Amino acid sequence: MPSDELIDILTEIREHFGQCLRINSGYRCPEHNARVGGATQSQHTIGSAADFIVFKVPTEVVYQYVMEKYGDRDLGIAIKRNPNNPYGGFIHLDTRGKKATWEYK
Ligand SMILES: [Zn+2]
């Protein structure tokens, strides 16, 4: 089950943009295994992380909003950009209890 904090934030993001979210990965995120090792992987494993996009909103716009609104909170926040599609890639968000930000190459 996803954490309540995660659900609350995802709900706020959805309401802000007025668009549905598409959750790409709730429990596992294979890219994390290579990028950030077990800690973030475990965030997915325990349901405290989600990778998502917002329909009809460029991923960069979502990322800027998330960083502006939640960047000071104890969350893991990351972006995977798709250079060929501004609506592609995803935002990673997790409620790890400390602040961490990164970008996927
Ligand atoms: Zn992730």
Side-chain angles (χ1 to χ4, degrees):
M1 287 293 295
S3 71
D4 290 343
E5 184 182 13
L6 185 64
I7 291 174
D8 287 347
I9 292 170
L10 294 174
T11 300
E12 287 175 2
I13 293 168
R14 186 187 72 212
E15 290 175 350
H16 171 78
F17 288 107
Q19 298 288 344
C20 293
L21 303 189
R22 191 183 81 205
I23 308 292
N24 298 317
S25 171
Y27 288 101
R28 293 292 292 257
C29 183
E31 301 199 50
H32 292 163
N33 296 344
R35 274 287 148 201
V36 293
T40 298
Q41 181 188 357
S42 73
Q43 296 296 315
H44 278 284
T45 302
I46 62 176
S48 297
D51 297 341
F52 66 94
I53 60 168
V54 181
F55 280 104
K56 302 179 183 175
V57 182
T59 304
E60 185 70 37
V61 173
V62 179
Y63 179 64
Q64 295 301 330
Y65 171 74
V66 170
M67 287 298 287
E68 190 174 308
K69 180 153 186 184
Y70 305 104
D72 289 338
R73 285 172 58 168
D74 288 335
L75 302 169
I77 301 171
I79 182 171
K80 168 66 177 177
R81 295 183 175 87
N82 180 338
N84 300 314
N85 178 7
Y87 299 90
F90 59 82
I91 306 294
H92 166 97
L93 191 61
D94 72 66
T95 54
R96 65 181 61 204
K98 61 177 179 160
K99 191 157 63 173
T101 60
W102 67 94
E103 299 184 6
Y104 298 101
K105 300 303 177 198

XYZ file of all heavy atoms in Angstrom:
842
model
N 0.843 -1.206 0.000
C 0.000 0.000 0.000
C 0.875 1.253 0.000
O 1.815 1.348 0.779
C -0.895 0.009 1.245
C -2.035 -0.995 1.196
S -3.248 -0.600 -0.069
C -3.900 0.947 0.565
N 0.546 2.217 -0.840
C 1.308 3.482 -0.820
C 1.110 4.205 0.503
O 0.075 4.077 1.151
C 0.680 4.301 -1.955
C -0.097 3.337 -2.763
C -0.492 2.212 -1.851
N 2.101 4.987 0.905
C 1.995 5.747 2.148
C 0.957 6.852 2.000
O 0.728 7.381 0.911
C 3.350 6.344 2.526
O 3.695 7.401 1.649
N 0.341 7.222 3.109
C -0.667 8.281 3.080
C -0.062 9.595 2.600
O -0.697 10.343 1.854
C -1.261 8.483 4.480
C -2.134 7.310 4.894
O -2.525 6.525 4.021
O -2.417 7.193 6.097
N 1.164 9.884 3.054
C 1.816 11.129 2.653
C 1.999 11.165 1.140
O 1.758 12.193 0.494
C 3.166 11.263 3.360
C 3.865 12.584 3.065
C 5.231 12.690 3.725
O 5.756 11.665 4.198
O 5.780 13.809 3.744
N 2.407 10.047 0.578
C 2.607 9.983 -0.870
C 1.285 10.207 -1.601
O 1.208 10.979 -2.562
C 3.220 8.635 -1.240
C 3.597 8.438 -2.705
C 4.690 9.408 -3.113
C 4.044 6.997 -2.954
N 0.253 9.565 -1.132
C -1.059 9.718 -1.773
C -1.529 11.171 -1.679
O -2.064 11.726 -2.643
C -2.090 8.769 -1.128
C -1.733 7.319 -1.484
C -3.505 9.106 -1.594
C -2.585 6.292 -0.784
N -1.329 11.794 -0.504
C -1.743 13.186 -0.328
C -1.036 14.097 -1.336
O -1.657 14.976 -1.936
C -1.429 13.662 1.088
C -2.369 13.056 2.118
O -3.389 12.474 1.717
O -2.069 13.167 3.317
N 0.266 13.903 -1.503
C 1.023 14.761 -2.413
C 0.589 14.513 -3.860
O 0.384 15.465 -4.622
C 2.536 14.516 -2.238
C 2.985 15.005 -0.860
C 3.324 15.218 -3.343
C 4.403 14.598 -0.485
N 0.443 13.266 -4.227
C 0.015 12.961 -5.596
C -1.365 13.558 -5.872
O -1.638 14.050 -6.965
C 0.005 11.447 -5.826
C 1.387 10.769 -5.786
C 1.228 9.249 -5.884
C 2.289 11.268 -6.909
N -2.216 13.542 -4.853
C -3.548 14.128 -5.009
C -3.455 15.643 -5.206
O -4.148 16.213 -6.057
C -4.418 13.798 -3.780
O -4.524 12.378 -3.669
C -5.806 14.406 -3.921
N -2.577 16.282 -4.424
C -2.397 17.732 -4.568
C -1.883 18.085 -5.971
O -2.314 19.079 -6.560
C -1.406 18.241 -3.522
C -1.965 18.270 -2.116
C -0.922 18.660 -1.072
O 0.234 18.954 -1.439
O -1.273 18.662 0.115
N -0.956 17.284 -6.466
C -0.411 17.541 -7.804
C -1.519 17.377 -8.851
O -1.666 18.212 -9.758
C 0.769 16.590 -8.089
C 1.947 16.921 -7.152
C 1.191 16.672 -9.555
C 3.044 15.876 -7.140
N -2.283 16.343 -8.722
C -3.378 16.115 -9.664
C -4.369 17.286 -9.640
O -4.806 17.770 -10.692
C -4.114 14.810 -9.312
C -5.166 14.426 -10.335
C -5.974 13.236 -9.877
N -6.869 13.607 -8.786
C -7.230 12.801 -7.793
N -6.775 11.577 -7.732
N -8.046 13.224 -6.860
N -4.684 17.755 -8.449
C -5.656 18.844 -8.333
C -5.077 20.158 -8.850
O -5.797 20.967 -9.435
C -6.129 18.968 -6.884
C -7.005 17.784 -6.490
C -7.402 17.798 -5.020
O -6.846 18.617 -4.249
O -8.258 16.977 -4.649
N -3.797 20.363 -8.633
C -3.156 21.586 -9.122
C -3.253 21.669 -10.639
O -3.595 22.727 -11.197
C -1.695 21.635 -8.688
C -0.916 22.750 -9.322
N -0.997 24.060 -8.889
C -0.068 22.770 -10.383
C -0.227 24.821 -9.646
N 0.359 24.078 -10.565
N -2.939 20.596 -11.307
C -2.933 20.612 -12.771
C -4.301 20.275 -13.364
O -4.532 20.506 -14.552
C -1.884 19.636 -13.310
C -0.463 20.106 -13.096
C 0.342 19.513 -12.147
C 0.060 21.153 -13.847
C 1.651 19.943 -11.940
C 1.358 21.597 -13.648
C 2.159 20.988 -12.692
N -5.168 19.724 -12.564
C -6.489 19.370 -13.067
C -6.450 18.268 -14.104
O -7.307 18.219 -14.990
N -5.439 17.414 -13.996
C -5.273 16.311 -14.937
C -4.960 15.038 -14.171
O -4.430 15.089 -13.058
C -4.125 16.587 -15.917
C -4.315 17.800 -16.803
C -5.375 17.590 -17.876
O -5.771 16.461 -18.164
N -5.842 18.684 -18.455
N -5.269 13.938 -14.803
C -4.949 12.653 -14.186
C -3.446 12.437 -14.156
O -2.712 12.919 -15.019
C -5.585 11.511 -14.958
S -7.368 11.505 -14.877
N -3.009 11.691 -13.170
C -1.636 11.207 -13.134
C -1.607 9.797 -13.715
O -2.556 9.047 -13.577
C -1.108 11.134 -11.696
C -1.117 12.389 -10.836
C -0.356 12.121 -9.552
C -0.544 13.575 -11.556
N -0.503 9.487 -14.334
C -0.267 8.097 -14.695
C 0.920 7.607 -13.886
O 2.027 8.116 -14.021
C 0.032 7.943 -16.187
C 0.015 6.463 -16.598
C 0.378 6.280 -18.050
N 1.828 6.325 -18.206
C 2.445 6.673 -19.337
N 1.752 7.031 -20.389
N 3.763 6.669 -19.415
N 0.672 6.660 -13.020
C 1.732 6.085 -12.196
C 2.426 5.005 -13.013
O 1.809 4.010 -13.413
C 1.162 5.465 -10.902
C 0.267 6.465 -10.167
C 2.298 4.953 -10.020
C 0.975 7.634 -9.581
N 3.710 5.241 -13.264
C 4.457 4.266 -14.055
C 4.984 3.133 -13.197
O 5.059 2.006 -13.634
C 5.645 4.953 -14.743
C 5.192 6.032 -15.690
O 4.249 5.852 -16.443
N 5.856 7.172 -15.640
N 5.375 3.466 -12.004
C 5.993 2.472 -11.134
C 5.667 2.808 -9.704
O 6.078 3.838 -9.199
C 7.516 2.460 -11.320
O 8.118 1.654 -10.334
N 4.908 1.973 -9.047
C 4.608 2.206 -7.643
C 5.560 1.469 -6.733
O 6.041 2.009 -5.756
N 5.844 0.242 -7.078
C 6.601 -0.585 -6.145
C 8.059 -0.779 -6.524
O 8.899 -0.881 -5.662
C 5.936 -1.969 -6.016
C 4.667 -1.884 -5.263
C 3.456 -1.884 -5.921
C 4.687 -1.767 -3.888
C 2.272 -1.793 -5.221
C 3.519 -1.666 -3.179
C 2.310 -1.679 -3.842
O 1.156 -1.571 -3.157
N 8.338 -0.861 -7.778
C 9.718 -1.081 -8.193
C 10.061 -0.108 -9.301
O 9.195 0.319 -10.050
C 9.910 -2.518 -8.716
C 9.756 -3.590 -7.673
C 10.882 -3.538 -6.676
N 12.147 -3.923 -7.282
C 12.713 -5.107 -7.115
N 12.101 -6.040 -6.421
N 13.885 -5.371 -7.662
N 11.300 0.221 -9.409
C 11.751 1.140 -10.418
C 13.137 0.671 -10.845
O 14.133 1.027 -10.212
C 11.815 2.548 -9.858
S 12.283 3.784 -11.058
N 13.222 -0.146 -11.865
C 14.504 -0.775 -12.211
C 15.628 0.231 -12.428
O 16.782 -0.070 -12.112
C 14.178 -1.503 -13.524
C 12.722 -1.749 -13.478
C 12.130 -0.587 -12.729
N 15.284 1.434 -12.899
C 16.332 2.416 -13.140
C 17.016 2.818 -11.839
O 18.179 3.192 -11.835
C 15.761 3.636 -13.841
C 15.120 3.278 -15.153
C 14.962 4.484 -16.055
O 15.940 5.213 -16.244
O 13.857 4.661 -16.542
N 16.285 2.767 -10.766
C 16.891 3.138 -9.487
C 17.960 2.160 -9.051
O 18.910 2.545 -8.364
C 15.828 3.196 -8.395
C 14.876 4.301 -8.596
N 13.682 4.366 -7.972
C 14.961 5.389 -9.377
C 13.063 5.453 -8.352
N 13.812 6.088 -9.209
N 17.777 0.944 -9.398
C 18.755 -0.046 -8.965
C 20.137 0.347 -9.434
O 21.107 0.286 -8.682
C 18.383 -1.420 -9.510
C 17.086 -1.915 -8.955
O 16.593 -1.397 -7.956
N 16.518 -2.911 -9.600
N 20.214 0.784 -10.650
C 21.498 1.180 -11.203
C 21.920 2.555 -10.683
O 23.093 2.797 -10.425
C 21.424 1.197 -12.720
N 20.963 3.443 -10.505
C 21.286 4.842 -10.234
C 21.584 5.128 -8.781
O 22.535 5.813 -8.449
C 20.112 5.736 -10.673
C 20.140 6.119 -12.107
C 21.227 7.149 -12.354
N 21.757 6.958 -13.698
C 22.945 7.388 -14.090
N 23.723 8.024 -13.257
N 23.352 7.166 -15.309
N 20.750 4.673 -7.917
C 20.868 5.099 -6.524
C 20.869 3.940 -5.538
O 20.820 4.149 -4.334
C 19.746 6.091 -6.146
C 19.937 7.389 -6.899
C 18.385 5.507 -6.414
N 20.933 2.734 -6.029
C 21.119 1.601 -5.137
C 19.910 1.246 -4.305
O 18.794 1.656 -4.581
N 20.125 0.498 -3.260
C 19.042 -0.150 -2.528
C 18.118 0.790 -1.792
O 16.953 0.479 -1.619
N 18.615 1.944 -1.362
C 17.777 2.799 -0.528
C 16.517 3.220 -1.268
O 15.410 3.052 -0.777
C 18.562 4.033 -0.088
N 16.706 3.754 -2.461
C 15.538 4.195 -3.209
C 14.724 3.006 -3.696
O 13.507 3.051 -3.730
C 15.976 5.074 -4.394
O 16.637 6.211 -3.880
C 14.773 5.527 -5.194
N 15.420 1.972 -4.019
C 14.682 0.775 -4.419
C 13.732 0.353 -3.305
O 12.599 -0.022 -3.550
C 15.664 -0.351 -4.744
C 14.946 -1.628 -5.187
C 15.911 -2.785 -5.323
O 17.119 -2.623 -5.135
N 15.395 -3.935 -5.644
N 14.236 0.465 -2.062
C 13.379 0.032 -0.971
C 12.208 0.974 -0.781
O 11.150 0.548 -0.315
C 14.186 -0.078 0.325
O 14.507 1.196 0.837
N 12.371 2.247 -1.122
C 11.222 3.153 -1.071
C 10.097 2.632 -1.963
O 8.926 2.668 -1.598
C 11.629 4.558 -1.510
C 12.648 5.242 -0.594
C 12.113 5.490 0.800
O 10.987 5.941 0.945
N 12.892 5.170 1.804
N 10.465 2.148 -3.123
C 9.442 1.555 -3.985
C 8.915 0.261 -3.377
O 7.722 -0.005 -3.410
C 10.018 1.276 -5.373
C 10.036 2.479 -6.261
N 8.914 2.974 -6.870
C 11.040 3.299 -6.630
C 9.230 4.042 -7.582
N 10.530 4.271 -7.452
N 9.821 -0.499 -2.831
C 9.431 -1.803 -2.320
C 8.413 -1.671 -1.196
O 7.501 -2.489 -1.069
C 10.672 -2.561 -1.812
O 11.599 -2.685 -2.885
C 10.309 -3.945 -1.324
N 8.555 -0.631 -0.368
C 7.632 -0.477 0.759
C 6.468 0.445 0.411
O 5.709 0.839 1.279
C 8.358 0.046 2.012
C 8.952 1.438 1.769
C 9.459 -0.919 2.439
C 9.592 2.060 3.001
N 6.337 0.814 -0.848
C 5.177 1.594 -1.254
C 5.274 3.060 -0.902
O 4.265 3.750 -0.830
N 6.482 3.553 -0.692
C 6.659 4.963 -0.359
C 7.138 5.787 -1.541
O 7.536 6.931 -1.368
C 7.670 5.105 0.786
O 7.166 4.481 1.938
N 7.116 5.222 -2.723
C 7.602 5.934 -3.896
C 6.695 5.694 -5.091
O 6.056 4.649 -5.194
C 9.029 5.483 -4.237
N 6.660 6.688 -5.968
C 5.924 6.545 -7.218
C 6.671 7.285 -8.315
O 7.261 8.340 -8.078
C 4.513 7.113 -7.093
N 6.659 6.720 -9.492
C 7.118 7.410 -10.691
C 5.880 7.730 -11.507
O 5.046 6.849 -11.728
C 8.046 6.513 -11.526
C 9.318 6.160 -10.775
O 9.656 6.857 -9.811
O 9.962 5.190 -11.177
N 5.760 8.979 -11.940
C 4.501 9.366 -12.574
C 4.725 10.472 -13.589
O 5.754 11.157 -13.580
C 3.492 9.837 -11.516
C 3.913 11.107 -10.811
C 3.467 12.339 -11.277
C 4.756 11.070 -9.713
C 3.866 13.517 -10.651
C 5.160 12.249 -9.085
C 4.706 13.470 -9.547
N 3.748 10.653 -14.441
C 3.633 11.829 -15.289
C 2.217 12.373 -15.121
O 1.344 11.682 -14.580
C 3.894 11.518 -16.786
C 2.897 10.482 -17.299
C 5.339 11.048 -16.998
C 2.886 10.342 -18.807
N 2.029 13.625 -15.543
C 0.704 14.229 -15.522
C 0.257 14.372 -16.970
O 0.998 14.911 -17.806
C 0.724 15.618 -14.843
C -0.671 16.216 -14.804
C 1.309 15.506 -13.428
N -0.914 13.891 -17.252
C -1.430 13.976 -18.616
C -1.452 15.419 -19.115
O -1.850 16.330 -18.375
C -2.849 13.409 -18.704
C -2.877 11.902 -18.768
C -3.233 11.161 -17.660
C -2.542 11.237 -19.944
C -3.248 9.767 -17.714
C -2.554 9.856 -20.004
C -2.898 9.119 -18.887
N -0.985 15.623 -20.341
C -1.083 16.912 -21.038
C -0.185 17.991 -20.440
O -0.310 19.161 -20.794
C -2.534 17.426 -21.088
C -3.494 16.474 -21.768
C -4.914 17.036 -21.746
C -5.893 16.043 -22.359
N -7.281 16.506 -22.242
N 0.683 17.639 -19.510
C 1.589 18.621 -18.913
C 3.029 18.150 -19.144
O 3.361 17.011 -18.794
C 1.329 18.776 -17.402
C 2.256 19.829 -16.816
C -0.126 19.138 -17.149
N 3.875 19.018 -19.712
C 5.262 18.608 -19.922
C 5.918 18.187 -18.605
O 5.702 18.822 -17.566
C 5.933 19.865 -20.488
C 4.814 20.625 -21.129
C 3.597 20.355 -20.257
N 6.711 17.167 -18.664
C 7.334 16.620 -17.454
C 8.178 17.672 -16.746
O 8.201 17.734 -15.513
C 8.174 15.388 -17.829
O 7.320 14.452 -18.518
C 8.748 14.697 -16.602
N 8.836 18.525 -17.512
C 9.648 19.581 -16.908
C 8.784 20.541 -16.090
O 9.209 21.019 -15.024
C 10.385 20.354 -18.018
C 11.349 21.401 -17.505
C 12.582 20.774 -16.829
O 13.063 19.734 -17.302
O 13.034 21.337 -15.829
N 7.607 20.856 -16.573
C 6.696 21.755 -15.860
C 6.251 21.120 -14.543
O 6.198 21.779 -13.495
C 5.476 22.103 -16.750
C 4.436 22.892 -15.964
C 5.936 22.881 -17.976
N 5.959 19.841 -14.594
C 5.580 19.128 -13.372
C 6.735 19.138 -12.382
O 6.559 19.398 -11.183
C 5.175 17.676 -13.696
C 4.803 16.927 -12.409
C 4.010 17.649 -14.687
N 7.919 18.895 -12.894
C 9.114 18.848 -12.040
C 9.347 20.196 -11.359
O 9.613 20.257 -10.151
C 10.316 18.464 -12.889
C 11.617 18.409 -12.145
C 11.822 17.484 -11.126
C 12.661 19.276 -12.467
C 13.031 17.421 -10.445
C 13.866 19.222 -11.794
C 14.055 18.305 -10.786
O 15.239 18.248 -10.109
N 9.246 21.286 -12.121
C 9.458 22.606 -11.537
C 8.433 22.893 -10.443
O 8.762 23.464 -9.396
C 9.390 23.692 -12.625
C 10.508 23.608 -13.656
C 11.897 23.734 -13.044
O 12.080 24.394 -12.032
N 12.870 23.075 -13.656
N 7.206 22.482 -10.689
C 6.158 22.682 -9.691
C 6.457 21.877 -8.429
O 6.350 22.378 -7.294
C 4.796 22.281 -10.266
C 3.717 22.255 -9.223
C 3.180 23.430 -8.715
C 3.244 21.041 -8.720
C 2.197 23.404 -7.733
C 2.269 21.008 -7.752
C 1.742 22.181 -7.257
O 0.784 22.157 -6.282
N 6.822 20.627 -8.617
C 7.099 19.752 -7.474
C 8.274 20.290 -6.671
O 8.238 20.326 -5.432
C 7.363 18.309 -7.953
C 7.886 17.433 -6.809
C 6.091 17.701 -8.541
N 9.320 20.737 -7.361
C 10.486 21.268 -6.649
C 10.137 22.546 -5.892
O 10.599 22.780 -4.774
C 11.622 21.540 -7.643
C 12.292 20.284 -8.162
S 13.094 19.303 -6.866
C 14.522 20.338 -6.529
N 9.306 23.375 -6.520
C 8.936 24.638 -5.890
C 8.077 24.406 -4.654
O 8.258 25.039 -3.617
C 8.173 25.488 -6.914
C 7.917 26.910 -6.495
C 7.288 27.718 -7.627
O 7.836 27.707 -8.746
O 6.236 28.313 -7.391
N 7.159 23.461 -4.777
C 6.201 23.269 -3.689
C 6.719 22.316 -2.608
O 6.405 22.490 -1.431
C 4.884 22.735 -4.260
C 3.835 22.499 -3.191
C 2.427 22.611 -3.690
C 1.451 22.509 -2.512
N 0.059 22.508 -2.941
N 7.472 21.301 -3.008
C 7.859 20.248 -2.065
C 9.367 20.127 -1.866
O 9.822 19.267 -1.122
C 7.324 18.895 -2.536
C 5.839 18.888 -2.760
C 5.305 18.916 -4.042
C 4.962 18.869 -1.673
C 3.938 18.919 -4.255
C 3.598 18.877 -1.867
C 3.091 18.899 -3.162
O 1.747 18.912 -3.356
N 10.137 20.986 -2.540
C 11.589 20.836 -2.526
C 12.215 20.980 -1.156
O 13.321 20.480 -0.924
N 11.538 21.665 -0.220
C 12.093 21.835 1.117
C 11.658 20.743 2.075
O 12.066 20.726 3.237
C 11.662 23.195 1.692
C 12.363 24.347 0.998
O 13.442 24.115 0.411
O 11.828 25.462 1.043
N 10.841 19.845 1.612
C 10.355 18.777 2.500
C 11.261 17.555 2.423
O 12.074 17.423 1.521
C 8.909 18.434 2.135
C 7.964 19.528 2.631
C 6.557 19.366 2.147
N 5.942 18.102 2.514
C 4.635 17.862 2.377
N 3.846 18.796 1.888
N 4.138 16.703 2.697
N 11.084 16.680 3.378
C 11.942 15.493 3.461
C 11.440 14.416 2.510
O 10.863 13.406 2.916
C 11.970 14.980 4.903
C 12.763 15.899 5.807
O 13.643 16.617 5.290
O 12.507 15.895 7.015
N 11.678 14.690 1.250
C 11.206 13.792 0.192
C 12.356 13.493 -0.756
O 13.298 14.274 -0.868
C 10.084 14.470 -0.617
C 8.848 14.919 0.154
C 7.976 15.795 -0.741
C 8.061 13.705 0.648
N 12.239 12.396 -1.446
C 13.110 12.134 -2.580
C 12.392 12.589 -3.846
O 11.242 12.207 -4.085
N 13.032 13.456 -4.628
C 12.417 13.999 -5.838
C 13.427 13.881 -6.970
O 14.586 14.284 -6.820
C 12.021 15.474 -5.660
C 11.030 15.641 -4.504
C 11.419 16.028 -6.961
C 10.754 17.098 -4.141
N 12.984 13.359 -8.091
C 13.900 13.198 -9.216
C 13.122 13.309 -10.521
O 11.896 13.151 -10.557
C 14.606 11.839 -9.148
N 13.862 13.581 -11.588
C 13.244 13.644 -12.907
C 14.027 12.786 -13.888
O 15.261 12.721 -13.823
C 13.164 15.101 -13.433
C 12.463 15.144 -14.798
C 14.547 15.751 -13.484
C 12.149 16.556 -15.305
N 13.291 12.111 -14.732
C 13.859 11.447 -15.897
C 13.297 12.170 -17.119
O 12.089 12.175 -17.332
C 13.460 9.971 -15.929
C 13.747 9.257 -17.239
C 15.226 9.141 -17.522
C 15.454 8.345 -18.814
N 16.899 8.280 -19.147
N 14.185 12.847 -17.853
C 13.733 13.570 -19.038
C 13.838 12.675 -20.266
O 14.745 11.849 -20.354
C 14.591 14.810 -19.253
C 14.456 15.852 -18.157
C 15.296 17.076 -18.483
N 15.097 18.139 -17.497
C 15.792 18.234 -16.372
N 16.719 17.359 -16.080
N 15.553 19.232 -15.521
N 12.922 12.879 -21.184
C 13.007 12.222 -22.491
C 13.310 13.306 -23.510
O 12.444 14.134 -23.802
C 11.683 11.530 -22.816
C 11.722 10.832 -24.159
O 12.527 11.169 -25.030
N 10.847 9.855 -24.330
N 14.530 13.347 -24.046
C 14.916 14.445 -24.948
C 14.080 14.497 -26.209
O 14.025 15.543 -26.880
C 16.386 14.155 -25.247
C 16.587 12.724 -24.908
C 15.603 12.389 -23.819
N 13.401 13.445 -26.535
C 12.600 13.396 -27.757
C 11.121 13.670 -27.512
O 10.347 13.762 -28.461
C 12.750 12.027 -28.426
C 14.192 11.744 -28.804
O 14.876 12.597 -29.371
N 14.664 10.566 -28.450
N 10.746 13.775 -26.247
C 9.323 13.933 -25.939
C 9.169 14.659 -24.613
O 9.404 14.077 -23.549
C 8.645 12.559 -25.868
C 7.181 12.674 -25.498
O 6.613 13.770 -25.410
N 6.556 11.528 -25.261
N 8.764 15.956 -24.657
C 8.640 16.717 -23.406
C 7.594 16.140 -22.453
O 7.626 16.444 -21.263
C 8.248 18.122 -23.877
C 7.752 17.953 -25.262
C 8.446 16.758 -25.847
N 6.714 15.316 -22.979
C 5.691 14.691 -22.131
C 6.118 13.306 -21.669
O 5.368 12.618 -20.983
C 4.355 14.608 -22.878
C 3.821 15.968 -23.269
C 4.160 16.537 -24.491
C 2.991 16.682 -22.404
C 3.693 17.794 -24.851
C 2.519 17.931 -22.748
C 2.872 18.490 -23.975
O 2.410 19.724 -24.317
N 7.302 12.902 -22.067
C 7.800 11.581 -21.695
C 8.617 11.649 -20.420
O 8.577 12.632 -19.680
N 9.397 10.613 -20.189
C 10.136 10.530 -18.937
C 9.175 10.357 -17.777
O 8.044 9.893 -17.953
N 9.635 10.781 -16.591
C 8.762 10.676 -15.416
C 9.335 11.498 -14.272
O 10.491 11.920 -14.306
C 8.581 9.214 -14.977
C 9.865 8.507 -14.615
C 10.434 8.654 -13.357
C 10.498 7.690 -15.548
C 11.617 8.001 -13.024
C 11.685 7.031 -15.225
C 12.242 7.182 -13.960
N 8.513 11.724 -13.272
C 8.936 12.289 -11.996
C 8.941 11.165 -10.969
O 7.967 10.407 -10.880
C 7.974 13.396 -11.508
C 7.775 14.465 -12.569
C 8.471 13.990 -10.184
C 8.999 15.265 -12.897
N 10.008 11.070 -10.224
C 10.048 10.148 -9.088
C 9.816 10.942 -7.811
O 10.400 12.007 -7.625
C 11.405 9.432 -9.021
C 11.618 8.750 -7.696
N 11.359 7.422 -7.509
C 12.031 9.241 -6.500
C 11.621 7.117 -6.235
N 12.023 8.198 -5.601
N 8.978 10.400 -6.939
C 8.686 11.039 -5.657
C 8.653 9.953 -4.586
O 8.007 8.918 -4.786
C 7.335 11.741 -5.759
C 6.909 12.689 -4.649
C 7.872 13.858 -4.516
C 5.516 13.215 -4.970
N 9.348 10.169 -3.491
C 9.235 9.204 -2.394
C 9.284 9.906 -1.052
O 9.822 11.002 -0.910
C 10.321 8.114 -2.496
C 11.715 8.628 -2.164
O 11.958 8.997 -1.002
O 12.564 8.655 -3.081
N 8.694 9.255 -0.071
C 8.571 9.816 1.279
C 9.572 9.117 2.197
O 9.210 8.458 3.153
C 7.134 9.654 1.806
O 6.763 8.263 1.719
C 6.160 10.453 0.967
N 10.848 9.308 1.894
C 11.915 8.610 2.617
C 12.216 9.218 3.975
O 12.949 8.639 4.766
C 13.204 8.627 1.790
C 13.754 10.048 1.593
C 15.020 10.046 0.758
N 14.755 9.492 -0.566
C 15.696 8.936 -1.334
N 16.921 8.865 -0.911
N 15.361 8.472 -2.510
N 11.692 10.430 4.235
C 11.939 11.048 5.528
C 13.194 11.895 5.579
O 13.580 12.376 6.643
N 13.853 12.089 4.466
C 14.945 13.059 4.370
C 14.971 13.590 2.953
O 14.407 13.000 2.031
C 16.291 12.432 4.745
C 16.691 11.285 3.852
C 18.066 10.754 4.236
C 18.429 9.586 3.332
N 19.841 9.300 3.271
N 15.660 14.711 2.788
C 15.625 15.385 1.499
C 16.669 14.798 0.548
O 17.823 14.619 0.934
C 15.877 16.875 1.723
C 15.610 17.724 0.492
C 15.315 19.162 0.850
C 16.460 19.873 1.527
N 16.202 21.306 1.714
N 16.243 14.515 -0.658
C 17.178 14.036 -1.670
C 16.618 14.394 -3.037
O 15.419 14.243 -3.283
C 17.358 12.516 -1.564
N 17.467 14.925 -3.901
C 17.043 15.204 -5.273
C 18.130 14.733 -6.223
O 19.313 14.741 -5.892
C 16.801 16.711 -5.502
O 18.013 17.423 -5.241
C 15.699 17.241 -4.602
N 17.719 14.284 -7.396
C 18.680 13.860 -8.400
C 17.983 13.848 -9.758
O 16.775 14.037 -9.858
C 19.248 12.489 -8.059
C 18.281 11.359 -8.133
C 18.070 10.537 -9.211
C 17.394 10.906 -7.113
N 17.100 9.610 -8.890
C 16.672 9.805 -7.613
C 17.128 11.334 -5.790
C 15.715 9.125 -6.884
C 16.158 10.647 -5.060
C 15.479 9.563 -5.593
N 18.783 13.647 -10.774
C 18.252 13.520 -12.128
C 18.770 12.232 -12.734
O 19.935 11.881 -12.550
C 18.689 14.715 -12.992
C 18.175 16.034 -12.454
C 18.521 17.203 -13.368
O 19.052 16.969 -14.466
O 18.264 18.345 -12.962
N 17.912 11.573 -13.455
C 18.323 10.363 -14.180
C 18.910 10.782 -15.536
O 18.340 11.651 -16.200
C 17.135 9.444 -14.429
C 16.487 8.942 -13.178
C 15.314 9.526 -12.718
C 17.034 7.902 -12.465
C 14.708 9.080 -11.563
C 16.441 7.451 -11.312
C 15.266 8.025 -10.863
O 14.669 7.601 -9.723
N 19.998 10.188 -15.879
C 20.566 10.455 -17.209
C 19.954 9.531 -18.246
O 19.533 8.451 -17.937
C 22.090 10.305 -17.170
C 22.748 11.272 -16.191
C 22.396 12.716 -16.519
C 22.985 13.672 -15.504
N 22.343 14.991 -15.541
Zn 11.176 5.861 -8.867
